[in-house]
Amino acid sequence: MEKKEIFMQEAIQLALDNVALKKGGPFGAVVVKDGKIIARGVNSVTALNDPTAHAEVMAIREACRILNDFQLTGCEIYASCEPCPMCLGAIYWARPAALYYAASKEDAAAIAFDDQMIYEEIARPMNERKLFTQQLLQPAAVKAFEAWKASEEKTNY
């Protein structure tokens, strides 16, 4: 078995164990750096009462803590399922070198983990989305952006 398959099998096993232990949904993820797993994550949404506690996000948080960095430069992420829009966004922000996944979003939708509505909502103009959204106090908020731009002590990301 290739190393990539071994790492993916670990992500899948995490998902299986999470179901068996009744800790959350059937999702697992690992972060690999230099050929070694440095972080693991499982879906912990219901265990933590946190809708952002998806396996990929949990693994990213742990890997960043271990690396003491906010980016996963040179890392690979292995996810037991194709990431949802939130996780995909987090993965892009983390900037790993690669993402590998096993089950597809269609496989997840077949067991009622359907993210299609979110993909469709993101594509709609804001005034046509299901979630009421209104912009408030934009000029005041831009002052924080101006302060950031002027700061010489910031860390760009």
Side-chain angles (χ1 to χ4, degrees):
M1 192 180 293
E2 286 187 40
K3 276 205 162 207
K4 288 179 184 176
E5 292 171 342
I6 292 169
F7 298 142
M8 185 60 74
Q9 186 56 52
E10 176 67 13
I12 293 166
Q13 190 61 53
L14 286 168
L16 286 165
D17 292 347
N18 208 43
V19 173
L21 295 171
K22 300 180 174 94
K23 299 248 179 175
F27 304 98
V30 298
V31 177
V32 173
K33 184 164 179 84
D34 300 327
K36 295 178 185 170
I37 294 174
I38 62 163
R40 292 169 172 80
V42 294
N43 179 282
S44 302
V45 169
T46 57
L48 298 178
N49 292 320
D50 179 352
T52 68
H54 290 199
E56 298 90 335
V57 171
M58 300 298 282
I60 289 168
R61 289 174 181 165
E62 180 67 7
C64 287
R65 185 189 66 74
I66 288 167
L67 295 172
N68 195 32
D69 199 342
F70 55 85
Q71 294 183 340
L72 298 179
T73 305
C75 293
E76 299 172 335
I77 296 177
Y78 293 80
S80 65
C81 184
E82 184 175 357
C84 75
M86 176 186 71
C87 291
L88 190 58
I91 290 165
Y92 271 95
W93 278 114
R95 294 178 175 88
L99 164 67
Y100 302 94
Y101 68 90
S104 69
K105 64 183 179 178
E106 292 80 15
D107 295 325
I111 58 162
F113 286 97
D114 192 353
D115 301 322
Q116 190 58 38
M117 181 275 293
I118 298 171
Y119 286 107
E120 291 170 2
E121 283 291 293
I122 290 170
R124 285 189 173 96
M126 206 173 300
N127 65 343
E128 293 178 21
R129 294 181 184 168
K130 294 176 184 172
L131 176 65
F132 175 79
T133 305
Q134 180 182 5
Q135 185 176 24
L136 299 171
L137 302 176
Q138 184 265 351
V142 169
K143 290 178 183 175
F145 291 166
E146 292 166 353
W148 172 264
K149 184 177 179 184
S151 175
E152 294 182 15
E153 298 178 17
K154 65 183 174 244
T155 300
N156 290 315
Y157 60 97

